[in-house]
Amino acid sequence: MNRIILLGPPGAGKGTQAKLLSQELGIPHLSTGEMLRAAAAQGTELGRRAEAFMSQGKLVPDELVLGILRARLESSDTRRGFILDGYPRNVAQAESLVEITPIDHVLYFEIPEGVLVERLSQRRNCPTCGTVYNLVTQPPKVPGRCDRDGTPLVQRSDDTEEAVRTRLRVYREVTLPLLDQYRRQGRLRTVSASGSVDEVAARVRAALA
Ligand code: AP5
């Protein structure tokens, strides 16, 4: 089965590859970041609490994220597999996940830090349909507008220089140790996330074969 975890630093291209893979394999893309941003946009209690952490680049408390993920994993569309993007992010989350579902593949997107900062500073999102652009590598056809619905593109509130610095620090301190855990279990496959979207997609497919 294809129950897949994508691990990697902010801006490595996990979301971009997860969307492609989701279409190709016909399984849902479960991004905890997108779930939390949707809750924040709806103004729910959980969303308001999460937004305070997210805008600073800090991790949202484990119990809030686990609750939202557990509910999503109970949907019937995850029965044939799923792509988990952004979870787990620390050792405690990995332990909680073991109790909810088995995992078949763990892919780690490896990329130099300088490339991440460049990608994140140029990222723009469509607030209506969620399409992600990059002003340099994947620009919209009409500047500033979504190709699909014409909505003005926005920059994520955690793509500011300060929040990106915090996200990278949090990643190094609490998410990187997870890699060792999966490596020790012999489950981690490393994919180079440098190069074009198509090049990375080909490596992802090879790693899952
Ligand atoms: P989340 O939404 O998960 O953000 P992230 O992990 O920081 O990852 P990003 O979405 O920034 O990057 P990505 O790797 O998906 O890159 P993308 O494909 O967009 O989390 C956000 C926040 O939510 C967290 O900080 C935390 O507060 C909270 N949160 C989420 N999950 C949590 C959890 N489990 N526990 C606690 N808190 C949690 O690509 C980036 C850019 O590069 C785009 O512009 C794209 O077009 C471009 N690009 C992609 N691939 C390429 C390529 N190959 N070549 C050139 N450009 C490329």
Side-chain angles (χ1 to χ4, degrees), residues 11 14-16 32 58 86 89 93 123 133 137-138 167 195:
K14 304 179 297 294
T16 300
T32 44
K58 295 179 179 167
R89 252 178 156 97
Q93 291 187 3
R123 174 165 60 186
Y133 296 88
T137 59
Q138 293 174 289
R167 287 160 65 198

Side-chain angles (χ1 to χ4, degrees), residues 89-107:
R89 252 178 156 97
N90 58 32
V91 172
Q93 291 187 3
E95 285 166 2
S96 304
L97 188 63
V98 168
E99 287 164 22
I100 308 178
T101 176
I103 294 294
D104 307 296
H105 305 280
V106 184
L107 303 191

